[in-house]
Amino acid sequence: MTLKTKLRFFNLLQRLFPIWALRGQSNIVSRAFEADLRKAQTSEERERLEYEQYFELSEYDETIQAIHSKRLSADARELFVYIPDLKWETGHWGGRYLSEESLSRLHHAVKAQKDSIRDYRIRFISALTGVIGALIGLLAIWKK
């Protein structure tokens, strides 16, 4: 399978699994550059290839960061999590994503909110199970 065919395949997968497909494309491009780097004769050629590799892979990294940031901010909106002073950055390719600090703070806030919701659901289900058990016991006694 040629490089062009592999990239086309990952472009189709990107609609369903965008991060996975972008990481796959990034790995393919990286392996192609690694093969070229092994063939490089001079240090200038090697340096040029390393710069091109960084340049090509930065587009994939920026897109993945933008997708993570969008998903996390959507989760935060859905859970009514508010974090003031989130810092958004614009990359070289035009993608907007959260800074590392903002991404970490928002991730921890969303995780804490999800944990509290899960704890509430567990307590509710436990109480509901107890009530159902008591009703079954009362029905068993009443039937006798």
Side-chain angles (χ1 to χ4, degrees):
M1 191 183 278
T2 65
L3 177 65
K4 196 174 186 178
T5 308
K6 287 179 185 177
L7 289 176
R8 224 182 271 142
F9 172 71
F10 279 108
N11 279 335
L12 291 174
L13 282 179
Q14 192 169 357
R15 291 187 183 134
L16 298 173
F17 310 104
I19 292 175
W20 182 77
L22 286 169
R23 284 189 181 142
Q25 286 176 328
S26 176
N27 288 338
I28 290 169
V29 170
S30 180
R31 277 190 239 123
F33 271 105
E34 291 300 325
D36 290 342
L37 283 169
R38 281 193 295 273
K39 295 176 187 174
Q41 300 291 327
T42 64
S43 62
E44 294 167 352
E45 184 181 1
R46 184 170 184 74
E47 188 174 310
R48 181 185 57 80
L49 286 170
E50 286 173 349
Y51 178 75
E52 286 178 14
Q53 180 182 20
Y54 171 77
F55 184 74
E56 288 290 328
L57 295 179
S58 68
E59 182 179 7
Y60 292 110
D61 293 339
E62 183 179 309
T63 306
I64 289 171
Q65 282 181 318
I67 291 171
H68 277 301
S69 296
K70 286 176 189 173
R71 285 182 180 175
L72 192 59
S73 62
D75 285 349
R77 275 192 305 276
E78 186 177 306
L79 296 170
F80 301 105
V81 173
Y82 173 71
I83 301 288
D85 303 328
L86 289 178
K87 294 178 182 124
W88 287 86
E89 297 176 353
T90 303
H92 299 294
W93 299 96
R96 287 185 37 101
Y97 51 89
L98 289 169
S99 67
E100 293 293 323
E101 178 189 351
S102 295
L103 189 68
S104 177
R105 286 188 330 173
L106 190 59
H107 170 74
H108 289 296
V110 167
K111 186 178 183 302
Q113 183 68 13
K114 284 182 178 180
D115 288 346
S116 68
I117 289 171
R118 188 187 71 239
D119 289 344
Y120 172 76
R121 287 178 180 165
I122 288 172
R123 278 186 261 147
F124 179 77
I125 290 171
S126 298
L128 187 63
T129 304
V131 168
I132 291 172
L135 288 174
I136 290 173
L138 285 173
L139 283 174
I141 292 173
W142 184 63
K143 281 269 187 165
K144 286 185 175 185

